[in-house]
C-alpha cells in the first residue's frame, strides 16, 4: 500500500483557522469586536492571533483612507489590547494611514516600526511625501538596519527633509 497517495486529514488547527477567517470575513461591523475577542479565546494562541492579524490587515487596508477607519481602529484596539503583536499592527496601520494621507507623523515612529511597515510605507505610493519615506527606509537598509540614528529626532511633522539631504548622508 502506498501511503503517499492516501488522503491526509487536515490538522484541527488548520480547520479552525479557516473557520475563523470565514467568520471574520462575514461578521457585521456591530459584531466584529465581539467576534475578534471570541477568536482570541482559542487555546491555540498562535492560530488565533494569526487569524485576527490577517483580519486586521484586510480590514485596515479596506478602511484606511476613509472616515470609518478611526472608529474601527478604536474598537479593534480595545478588542486586542492584551495582544502586543495585534496592538502594534494596528498602530502601524495608523502610522501608514497618516503617512499616505499626508497627515502629521513622527519619523522615529517609522524608524522604530517593523520591517513590514517600512516596506508597506515605501511601496505605498509615488507621492512626494513618500519619496522621503523611501529614502529613509533605503538608508536604514544601507546602514545595516542600525535604525538611522543620524536622521531621527527632527520632531513631528510631514517629511520635512529634502530627499537629496537624506540620500547624501
Amino acid at each position: 500500500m502506498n501511503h503517499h497517495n492516501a488522503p491526509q486529514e487536515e490538522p484541527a488547527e488548520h480547520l479552525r483557522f479557516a473557520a475563523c477567517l470565514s467568520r471574520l470575513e462575514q461578521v457585521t461591523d456591530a459584531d466584529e469586536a465581539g467576534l475578534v475577542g471570541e477568536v482570541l479565546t482559542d487555546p491555540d494562541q498562535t492560530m488565533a492571533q494569526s487569524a485576527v492579524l490577517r483580519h486586521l490587515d484586510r480590514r485596515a487596508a479596506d478602511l484606511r483612507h476613509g472616515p470609518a477607519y478611526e472608529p474601527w481602529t478604536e474598537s479593534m484596539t480595545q478588542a486586542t489590547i492584551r495582544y502586543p503583536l495585534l496592538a502594534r499592527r494596528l498602530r502601524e496601520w495608523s502610522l501608514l494611514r497618516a503617512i499616505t494621507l499626508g497627515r502629521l507623523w513622527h519619523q522615529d515612529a517609522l524608524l522604530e516600526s517593523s520591517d513590514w511597515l517600512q516596506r508597506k510605507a515605501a511601496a505605498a505610493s509615488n507621492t512626494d511625501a513618500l519619496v522621503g519615506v523611501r529614502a529613509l527606509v533605503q538608508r536604514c537598509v544601507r546602514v545595516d538596519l542600525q535604525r538611522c540614528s543620524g536622521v531621527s529626532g527632527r520632531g513631528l511633522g510631514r517629511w520635512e527633509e529634502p530627499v537629496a539631504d537624506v540620500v547624501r548622508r
Side-chain angles (χ1 to χ4, degrees):
M1 183 167 158
N2 187 349
H3 293 287
H4 296 290
N5 293 334
Q8 296 187 5
E9 282 190 39
E10 191 74 25
E13 65 274 10
H14 292 194
L15 296 173
R16 283 197 325 278
F17 181 75
C20 289
L21 288 179
S22 178
R23 290 177 63 205
L24 288 164
E25 286 174 4
Q26 298 173 34
V27 71
T28 65
D29 291 349
D31 295 332
E32 185 178 16
L35 181 56
V36 165
E38 181 184 325
V39 169
L40 290 171
T41 64
D42 192 282
D44 184 345
Q45 280 296 292
T46 301
M47 183 282 303
Q49 289 185 48
S50 181
V52 171
L53 183 66
R54 188 176 294 185
H55 174 71
L56 295 177
D57 285 347
R58 182 181 59 78
R59 289 284 284 160
D62 290 345
L63 297 173
R64 74 182 165 121
H65 293 294
Y69 178 82
E70 290 180 15
W72 173 79
T73 196
E74 288 174 19
S75 173
M76 290 301 100
T77 297
Q78 290 303 311
T80 62
I81 201 160
R82 295 182 328 197
Y83 303 90
L85 173 67
L86 302 175
R88 178 178 183 160
R89 184 59 65 92
L90 284 169
R91 286 190 306 274
E92 289 185 341
W93 271 110
S94 293
L95 177 56
L96 181 62
R97 180 175 195 258
I99 292 168
T100 58
L101 294 179
R103 296 187 176 164
L104 295 179
W105 56 280
H106 197 282
Q107 292 174 182
D108 287 345
L110 181 61
L111 294 171
E112 295 166 0
S113 69
S114 69
D115 290 343
W116 172 87
L117 175 63
Q118 291 182 7
R119 287 187 188 103
K120 276 284 219 204
S125 173
N126 286 327
T127 65
D128 290 339
L130 292 179
V131 170
V133 171
R134 281 196 189 100
L136 181 61
V137 171
Q138 288 169 354
R139 183 170 183 270
C140 286
V141 170
R142 282 197 307 267
V143 296
D144 198 28
L145 299 176
Q146 293 177 357
R147 295 295 183 191
C148 303
S149 60
V151 177
S152 64
R154 296 208 185 245
L156 288 174
R158 291 177 184 87
W159 188 262
E160 298 170 345
E161 194 167 51
V163 174
D165 290 344
V166 174
V167 174
R168 277 186 279 180
R169 285 194 188 146

